[in-house]
């Protein structure tokens, strides 16, 4: 890219992504005067395209879940980290996804589209 940047810089914002009129804002630009007037930045605003909004929402959830997990791991003791390394060998991990009112159940219904 250039002598001081070795990665692609991108960000996005979702406004009402689950409606019939979602807005996706994506690109490298910041909401600042310097970015707007002095830098070589880009920004796309896509409105009303539910397929694009779905793709960006899935990417948001992927990133969120990744960093949510990493943050949780950082808060564990060494002993808790050793115990957390292994998957459960039964289906007990599925309970929250089928328990009424839990965040896991709400997420399953939202993204799985089934009750």
């Amino acid at each position: 890219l250039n002598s001081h940047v070795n990665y692609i810089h991108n960000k996005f914002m979702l406004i009402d992504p689950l409606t019939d009129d979602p807005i996706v804002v994506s690109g490298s630009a910041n909401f600042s005067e310097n970015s707007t007037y002095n830098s070589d930045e880009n920004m796309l605003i896509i409105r009303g395209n539910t397929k694009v909004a779905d793709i960006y929402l899935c990417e948001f959830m992927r990133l969120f879940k990744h960093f949510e997990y990493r943050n949780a791991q950082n808060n564990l003791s060494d002993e808790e980290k050793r115990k957390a390394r292994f998957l459960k060998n039964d289906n007990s991990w599925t309970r929250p996804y089928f328990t009424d009112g839990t965040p896991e159940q709400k997420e399953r219904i939202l993204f799985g589209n089934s009750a």
Side-chain angles (χ1 to χ4, degrees), residues 86-99:
F86 301 100
L87 297 174
K88 294 180 180 174
N89 60 2
D90 60 23
N91 68 352
S92 63
W93 65 272
T94 65
R95 281 190 203 111
Y97 295 93
F98 293 90
T99 302

Side-chain angles (χ1 to χ4, degrees), residues 46 53 81-82 114:
I46 304 166
K81 286 179 186 174
R82 277 191 289 280
S114 64

